Amino acid sequence: MYKNTYLLLFIALSLNIVVSAKNHQTSGPAYDFSRLKKEKPGRGLVAVRENDRTVNVSRRYFSSDPINTSFDIYRNGQKINTFPVQNTTYFKDKTASPEALHYEVRTIHTTKNENPERFAFSLNQNNSGYINIPLDIPEGGLMANGRPLFYNANDASIGDVDGDGEYEIILKWEPSNARDNAHDGFTENVYFDCYKLSGEKLWRINMGKNIRAGAHYTQFMVYDLDGDNKAEIVMKTADGTVDGQGNILGDKDADHRNEVGRILSGPEYLTVFEGLTGKALKTVDYIPARGNPGEWGDTRGNRSDRFLACVAYLDGVHPSVVMCRGYYTRTVLAAFDFKNGELTSRWVFDSDEKGNKAYAGQGHHNLRVGDVDGDGCDEIIYGSCAIDNDGNGLYSTRMGHGDAMHLTAFDPSSRQLQVWDCHENKKDGSSFRDAATGKVIFQVKSNIDVGRCMAADIDPNSKGVEMWSIASQGIRNIKGEVINPATRGISINMASWWDGDLSRELLDGTRISKYNSLEGVSELLFDCEECSRNNGSKSNPTLSADIVGDWREEILLRTRDNKNLRIYLTPYETPYRFHTFLEDPVYRISIATQNVAYNQPTQPGFYFGSDLGKIFEEKEMVVDSDHITLEAADIYDSYIWSIGGNQNARIVTGKDIPRGKRTKIELTVTFRGFEFKDYVYVTLNPKK
């Protein structure tokens, strides 16, 4: 990419300096995918009715698929595509009928001896735009004050619990008297259900009276931890927890609640549940232990019972689960491995230990995970600090606690991960930093508690991912420049890739909107008035992620009566086909951690947005030299120059193109299985 003027080009080349479009930063996620133990998702074929005559069919595209892989689509045994479907993972069947339909997709191979891969989906529902999952609502009743008690379908996660390659939904049920840690009061039991996409309920776990209900108490990690291609569920448990098979953990008669409903005594456990049955597989003492609640900042459990959790590839091969306690003051993270039926401690990080004082009070209401330093192993971004994969502190910015943050590659010219963060201390406001070192790139200070911030590539006219907060003084680009001073009406909540272009859409509760960069406003694309949002002012869906189908993201919402869970799929066609985001560890783990405390949107470990394919900012380059260096961003997977070469940079000389003649040079790059093409006209005029 070029920002140089012709004058600068002339000066540089005259001094025999190679002209570079940018300064490369090569560090970033460096996973060894040949060793990484990951789940094995299937094709994710789904068919969702748009209306009586139109059905949208989508499927996954994998990195293992040859780039020329194409498919045929069959409805009730009859092929319905005229030409092989190759450049998209989305097909709109506009000749369907209202009755039940059976779709099948078959791969087309280049050799006759290869058998086509076949995968099918039966459309038996007449729902428009969504897959419907009937829910089994836990029984309510009356609270002690005589008010009715009811249950809401709350946060959800995904995992392939039976090993068939397709995800099941693990759903948390929250009672209507759930409490924030700041408030006293008794709460009813929390429940977890597992549902197949067909609607079949597999099990229910009852957390029991000794697990309080609220956003900060039960963080549930769903992931295949032991490499058997079946997901487990890991949660903090207690006396009286009942697993999916009816087995009771600990003392079934114990009641550790005090006079105001808080639980400040009694044993605490960490349990791994079998995903298929809900059976408790292994239970150990919970680390970090409660100890004396006063050691965490107060004596009433407000700070001692603030929990976070994540999954991380700490050794670059196997997923570990990390359970966390505290972030306002003392901070403890404990990593566990689950292998051969045993749950063992890998390491414990404690801000109270010698040398770790700078890490106290730096945690947020969520956390992010990714290989930020390029060693192939995951680090944990714990708010304003980071913990290295070996359990040692990596850095602390000392900007303190905050509510939200975002980790991804913001710059389309680099693989480097950055963090957009907001802070509560009425001083540091919003900050953009290097994820590996903590170095601040830019900062917008503020004297208020900045409770919300957002990051998404919403403006195709602005380079990279945009950032804003409630005190950022507008929407900012990766340089910190204001591209729109007004943020009123622009959601600062969640995000979704929804409508089929490369920009991201904004998700707030049950509504999806698109930022109009020309007008500087958001325009509504989708709203489900029959559904409800979760978590009060946080206004979250049950889940939002790339769960089934193509690379776009689905929205899981509960109906207002809690009788159904709906998986909404995009109705928009797209010209793009990318490898499923599920193959990216940073993105997949961001799904697993979405339910943690204050829900945050998914973010990939690579740049994805409207700048993809915009390789040459200048289309006309005239230099008074016999050579020039053309350079593409290093975020792509492969490069093919029309003048030869397969690297991101190419030195063009008089041997490649005629001197003094305007010559078109083309470049084809591949990004996650999709080819982008761009060009530039170059004229070499050597000095006489």
Side-chain angles (χ1 to χ4, degrees):
M1 300 188 182
Y2 292 84
K3 299 180 180 178
N4 312 71
T5 65
Y6 295 157
L7 177 61
L8 291 174
L9 283 168
F10 173 78
I11 294 172
L13 291 169
S14 297
L15 296 172
N16 199 32
I17 298 173
V18 175
V19 177
S20 176
K22 58 181 178 359
N23 294 319
H24 278 294
Q25 294 178 308
T26 57
S27 61
Y31 301 104
D32 184 349
F33 287 95
S34 67
R35 302 174 63 228
L36 208 64
K37 302 297 183 182
K38 300 193 299 175
E39 59 194 359
K40 298 178 180 179
R43 283 295 176 183
L45 177 69
V46 290
V48 174
R49 191 176 296 283
E50 187 172 331
N51 53 53
D52 285 349
R53 295 293 177 182
T54 303
V55 174
N56 301 319
V57 183
S58 63
R59 56 179 172 78
R60 296 187 186 118
Y61 174 46
F62 298 117
S63 57
S64 57
D65 291 330
I67 198 167
N68 61 350
T69 298
S70 57
F71 299 84
D72 283 331
I73 300 174
Y74 293 79
R75 183 188 65 232
N76 295 343
Q78 298 294 317
K79 190 173 77 165
I80 57 176
N81 57 297
T82 305
F83 303 101
V85 180
Q86 179 174 341
N87 295 322
T88 181
T89 50
Y90 190 89
F91 183 84
K92 193 176 285 286
D93 178 11
K94 299 179 180 180
T95 59
S97 56
E99 65 264 15
L101 303 171
H102 181 79
Y103 285 89
E104 185 178 278
V105 177
R106 305 175 188 176
T107 54
I108 302 173
H109 292 289
T110 55
T111 60
K112 295 182 179 180
N113 295 328
E114 290 182 282
N115 294 319
E117 178 191 23
R118 301 187 179 193
F119 35 101
F121 184 90
S122 293
L123 179 62
N124 299 315
Q125 309 172 91
N126 291 318
N127 310 312
S128 179
Y130 60 89
I131 298 170
N132 192 72
I133 300 175
L135 299 178
D136 178 16
I137 307 174
E139 184 177 353
L142 292 176
M143 293 184 281
N145 59 11
R147 293 181 178 179
L149 173 77
F150 56 91
Y151 278 86
N152 291 316
N154 191 246
D155 294 330
S157 193
I158 57 170
D160 179 9
V161 305
D162 55 8
D164 66 352
E166 306 305 330
Y167 289 118
E168 282 70 47
I169 307 295
I170 289 78
L171 175 69
K172 179 174 78 169
W173 288 99
E174 190 167 82
S176 54
N177 61 354
R179 303 283 183 176
D180 185 272
N181 294 60
H183 303 288
D184 296 337
F186 289 84
T187 71
E188 297 302 316
N189 294 4
V190 175
Y191 297 93
F192 285 88
D193 290 352
C194 180
Y195 295 92
K196 295 185 71 68
L197 296 188
S198 63
E200 179 186 359
K201 176 187 164 188
L202 298 184
W203 47 258
R204 170 166 289 171
I205 294 172
N206 180 353
M207 300 303 292
K209 64 173 68 77
N210 293 308
I211 294 291
R212 207 163 184 243
H216 304 289
Y217 292 100
T218 300
Q219 324 301 340
F220 57 105
M221 291 296 101
V222 183
Y223 215 83
D224 177 17
L225 297 172
D226 60 359
D228 65 351
N229 296 323
K230 297 179 181 179
E232 290 79 37
I233 298 93
V234 185
M235 297 182 287
K236 179 178 179 289
T237 56
D239 285 338
T241 296
V242 184
D243 74 4
Q245 299 299 299
N247 304 305
I248 301 174
L249 303 183
D251 183 352
K252 66 181 179 62
D253 298 318
D255 188 346
H256 301 296
R257 298 173 294 178
N258 66 13
E259 66 278 3
V260 293
R262 295 185 180 270
I263 303 163
L264 305 180
S265 63
E268 300 176 294
Y269 309 128
L270 180 65
T271 301
V272 179
F273 297 91
E274 185 177 51
L276 181 59
T277 66
K279 179 182 177 180
L281 297 176
K282 187 67 179 182
T283 297
V284 299
D285 290 338
Y286 186 83
I287 304 173
R290 178 193 303 114
N292 179 3
E295 296 176 354
W296 302 89
D298 61 57
T299 59
R300 60 191 184 95
N302 181 25
R303 283 165 166 64
S304 63
D305 277 11
R306 300 275 180 163
F307 300 98
L308 302 176
C310 66
V311 171
Y313 289 91
L314 300 174
D315 64 356
V317 180
H318 307 92
S320 302
V321 63
V322 184
M323 309 307 292
C324 317
R325 190 174 208 146
Y327 38 77
Y328 289 121
T329 51
R330 183 186 178 190
T331 295
V332 182
L333 291 78
F336 296 84
D337 297 331
F338 182 64
K339 185 179 180 181
N340 297 325
E342 295 297 321
L343 189 60
T344 57
S345 175
R346 172 177 283 272
W347 50 252
V348 178
F349 174 90
D350 191 339
S351 64
D352 275 1
E353 293 183 355
K354 184 178 180 181
N356 293 341
K357 183 179 179 181
Y359 294 84
Q362 302 302 309
H364 285 18
H365 289 298
N366 204 284
L367 73 179
R368 302 278 83 176
V369 175
D371 175 20
V372 303
D373 56 6
D375 63 356
C377 304
D378 280 332
E379 286 71 45
I380 301 167
I381 305 300
Y382 203 79
S384 294
C385 65
I387 309 302
D388 210 348
N389 65 286
D390 60 2
N392 292 312
L394 186 62
Y395 65 81
S396 175
T397 69
R398 303 196 182 200
M399 293 184 185
H401 171 71
D403 284 1
M405 63 175 173
H406 306 273
L407 170 74
T408 191
F410 287 72
D411 189 342
S413 64
S414 172
R415 299 179 186 267
Q416 183 70 35
L417 299 182
Q418 294 96 17
V419 176
W420 173 239
D421 200 355
C422 57
H423 310 281
E424 231 177 59
N425 61 12
K426 300 182 180 181
K427 180 180 65 173
D428 286 305
S430 315
S431 62
F432 183 51
R433 73 177 191 257
D434 180 277
T437 65
K439 181 182 178 181
V440 176
I441 301 169
F442 73 83
Q443 185 174 5
V444 186
K445 294 193 175 186
S446 175
N447 60 3
I448 69 169
D449 174 351
V450 184
R452 298 287 183 91
C453 65
M454 187 61 205
D457 190 353
I458 59 173
D459 189 344
N461 301 310
S462 172
K463 182 179 178 180
V465 174
E466 287 74 50
M467 294 158 272
W468 61 104
S469 75
I470 62 172
S472 59
Q473 302 169 28
I475 299 174
R476 295 180 180 263
N477 63 17
I478 54 177
K479 294 182 177 180
E481 300 164 338
V482 175
I483 62 172
N484 183 355
T487 58
R488 185 177 181 180
I490 311 298
S491 171
I492 316 180
N493 194 1
M494 304 278 285
S496 174
W497 281 288
W498 182 256
D499 70 351
D501 63 17
L502 299 177
S503 298
R504 206 166 192 192
E505 285 66 57
L506 299 175
L507 170 63
D508 188 16
T510 64
R511 300 162 60 92
I512 298 175
S513 59
K514 190 172 187 66
Y515 180 70
N516 184 328
S517 59
L518 298 178
E519 301 294 333
V521 297
S522 287
E523 299 171 343
L524 186 65
L525 294 181
F526 168 85
D527 189 13
C528 178
E529 296 181 351
E530 300 171 348
C531 297
S532 291
R533 57 191 175 94
N534 285 330
N535 303 320
S537 65
K538 304 302 179 284
S539 193
N540 304 128
T542 300
L543 183 69
S544 176
D546 178 16
I547 301 171
V548 294
D550 66 9
W551 57 272
R552 272 86 59 80
E553 295 183 298
E554 290 73 52
I555 312 297
L556 276 69
L557 295 168
R558 63 180 174 94
T559 55
R560 291 184 179 274
D561 58 8
N562 286 296
K563 292 182 178 180
N564 297 279
L565 185 66
R566 295 179 178 178
I567 306 175
Y568 283 92
L569 288 83
T570 176
Y572 295 93
E573 296 182 86
T574 179
Y576 300 104
R577 179 190 69 170
F578 299 105
H579 300 151
T580 176
F581 288 4
L582 296 167
E583 294 184 316
D584 175 54
V586 178
Y587 183 88
R588 180 63 185 88
I589 291 171
S590 77
I591 298 176
T593 59
Q594 191 175 130
N595 69 79
V596 173
Y598 292 175
N599 307 47
Q600 298 293 291
T602 55
Q603 298 284 10
F606 49 85
Y607 170 79
F608 189 89
S610 58
D611 291 288
L612 288 172
K614 298 178 182 178
I615 301 167
F616 303 107
E617 293 182 5
E618 295 182 19
K619 296 300 183 186
E620 195 76 39
M621 306 209 61
V622 181
V623 295
D624 193 11
S625 175
D626 64 352
H627 69 278
I628 185 174
T629 297
L630 299 179
E631 204 169 7
D634 60 4
I635 63 170
Y636 300 107
D637 303 315
S638 65
Y639 309 83
I640 302 175
W641 296 87
S642 60
I643 57 173
N646 57 3
Q647 302 298 318
N648 71 302
R650 181 75 167 86
I651 300 176
V652 183
T653 70
K655 295 181 180 180
D656 301 297
I657 62 175
R659 293 185 176 92
K661 183 178 180 180
R662 180 175 182 262
T663 304
K664 184 179 183 181
I665 298 175
E666 298 176 318
L667 176 61
T668 300
V669 296
T670 303
F671 179 83
R672 301 190 66 81
F674 186 85
E675 289 185 341
F676 292 93
K677 300 179 184 293
D678 202 6
Y679 67 91
V680 61
Y681 285 98
V682 175
T683 306
L684 298 179
N685 293 314
K687 292 186 292 185
K688 303 289 185 176

